[in-house]
């Protein structure tokens, strides 16, 4: 799989893509992630990528042409399954979308900045718009890192123990059961006896009950979605 991220602040993406599961997946060759600076196609000696908004609203708008040319450069090399604009008014990212995107071959994540991007990019180039939640951030870079992370950890081999990703929250529409590690008792706080029982069947039943109880209590909406 290949992910191309288009931005005017590539520096913001350096560390999220360099460490932990995503960093290792790149090193293992499971995914290629390329970050491109849209300024490469900026206008004039200052490589301008934004301009005043028509209508006089406050805030600068990212121009069509540099984004168009950046996308054209990439599209000349390969076909893209999706060109995704990170946007607060897009569909809100969830595990289902991450699962779906993890099966694609080539995707572009386009990061806005300033006031956002010229609507014509959204109308003519973008195939999908994704938000990371109902709040506004300064740029699409952190959202793009979130989308990339949520996808990459699902690629077989990215997580050493694959069942670990499958038992995460949301994978079966439920929150996860509580987890513990050694010691079995700290400060008088005990790990539930069942987890120390060594009986995998009993443990599984307990985990399922806990997952349902936690989902009912914390996120009843997830159960209602069925
Ligand atoms: N004027 C826009 C906000 C621009 S914020 C509006 O009112 O909707 C600048 C950029 O940050 C956006 O172009 C987008 O790429 C990114 N961004 C901000 N919040 C986001 C969110 N919740 N999800 C995804 N991207 C977001």
């Amino acid at each position: 799989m290949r992910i191309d991220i288009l931005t005017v602040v590539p520096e913001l993406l350096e560390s999220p893509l360099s460490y932990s599961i995503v960093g290792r997946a790149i090193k293992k060759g499971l995914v290629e992630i390329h970050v491109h600076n849209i300024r490469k196609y900026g206008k004039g000696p200052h490589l301008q990528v934004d301009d005043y908004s028509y209508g006089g609203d406050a805030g600068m708008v990212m121009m069509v042409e540099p984004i168009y040319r950046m996308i054209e450069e990439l599209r000349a090399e390969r076909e893209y399954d999706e060109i995704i604009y990170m946007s607060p008014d897009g569909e809100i990212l969830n595990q289902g979308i991450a699962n779906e995107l993890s099966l694609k071959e080539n995707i572009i994540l386009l990061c806005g900045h300033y006031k956002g991007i010229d609507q014509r990019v959204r109308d003519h180039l973008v195939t999908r718009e994704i938000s990371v939640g109902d709040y506004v951030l300064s740029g699409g870079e952190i959202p793009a890192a979130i989308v990339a992370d949520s996808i990459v950890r699902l690629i077989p081999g990215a997580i050493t123990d694959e069942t670990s990703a499958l038992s995460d929250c949301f994978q079966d529409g439920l929150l996860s059961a509580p987890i513990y590690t050694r010691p079995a008792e700290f400060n008088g706080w005990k790990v539930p006896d069942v987890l120390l029982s060594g009986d995998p069947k009993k443990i599984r039943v307990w985990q399922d009950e806990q997952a349902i109880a936690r989902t009912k209590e914390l996120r009843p909406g997830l159960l209602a979605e069925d």
Side-chain angles (χ1 to χ4, degrees):
M1 170 175 213
R2 175 181 169 121
I3 303 174
D4 290 277
I5 306 181
L6 278 46
T7 167
V8 286
V9 198
E11 296 80 5
L12 280 173
L13 286 152
E14 274 166 20
S15 96
L17 301 178
S18 301
Y19 301 97
S20 185
I21 292 171
V22 177
R24 282 199 297 273
I26 295 171
K27 279 186 202 104
K28 282 193 218 163
L30 298 174
V31 61
E32 279 182 43
I33 304 185
H34 299 268
V35 177
H36 307 272
N37 194 339
I38 298 166
R39 206 170 285 283
K40 174 177 178 187
Y41 290 111
K43 212 174 68 181
H46 299 296
L47 302 177
Q48 185 188 351
V49 288
D50 58 326
D51 210 333
Y52 294 101
S53 100
Y54 278 120
D57 289 337
M60 301 297 276
V61 177
M62 286 173 64
M63 299 187 294
V64 184
E65 190 176 342
I67 298 173
Y68 173 79
R69 292 180 64 189
M70 192 74 248
I71 291 177
E72 283 302 283
E73 177 193 311
L74 294 170
R75 281 209 291 212
E77 296 295 324
R78 67 196 66 77
E79 271 189 38
Y80 284 89
D81 302 295
E82 299 276 15
I83 299 179
I84 301 170
Y85 173 49
M86 305 313 308
S87 179
D89 54 13
E91 51 180 334
I92 295 181
L93 181 66
N94 60 29
Q95 194 61 44
I97 297 174
N99 290 347
E100 188 194 323
L101 293 176
S102 73
L103 302 173
K104 308 277 186 199
E105 206 138 307
N106 299 312
I107 61 176
I108 289 178
L109 301 177
L110 170 61
C111 307
H113 229 85
Y114 318 113
K115 182 82 187 148
I117 63 174
D118 190 300
Q119 181 63 33
R120 288 167 290 183
V121 173
R122 303 173 71 172
D123 291 345
H124 300 289
L125 299 169
V126 165
T127 60
R128 189 164 186 171
E129 302 190 331
I130 294 180
S131 163
V132 292
D134 286 343
Y135 44 85
V136 176
L137 297 165
S138 313
E141 290 74 16
I142 293 170
I146 291 173
V147 169
D149 188 310
S150 73
I151 296 172
V152 170
R153 65 199 309 286
L154 296 170
I155 299 173
I159 296 183
T160 2
D161 177 2
E162 270 179 48
T163 56
S164 168
L166 295 178
S167 63
D168 280 341
C169 277
F170 309 114
Q171 275 303 2
D172 49 8
L174 295 173
L175 303 182
S176 299
I179 51 170
Y180 300 87
T181 185
R182 288 184 290 185
E185 183 173 343
F186 172 78
N187 218 9
W189 306 330
K190 286 187 179 160
V191 171
D193 285 338
V194 60
L195 293 179
L196 309 176
S197 69
D199 181 340
K201 248 194 187 158
K202 255 177 137 177
I203 292 175
R204 185 74 223 166
V205 169
W206 178 84
Q207 285 172 331
D208 289 346
E209 284 167 2
Q210 289 288 319
I212 293 168
R214 277 169 54 81
T215 311
K216 268 191 188 148
E217 185 191 337
L218 301 172
R219 296 289 303 276
L222 289 176
L223 295 169
E225 278 169 23
D226 288 345

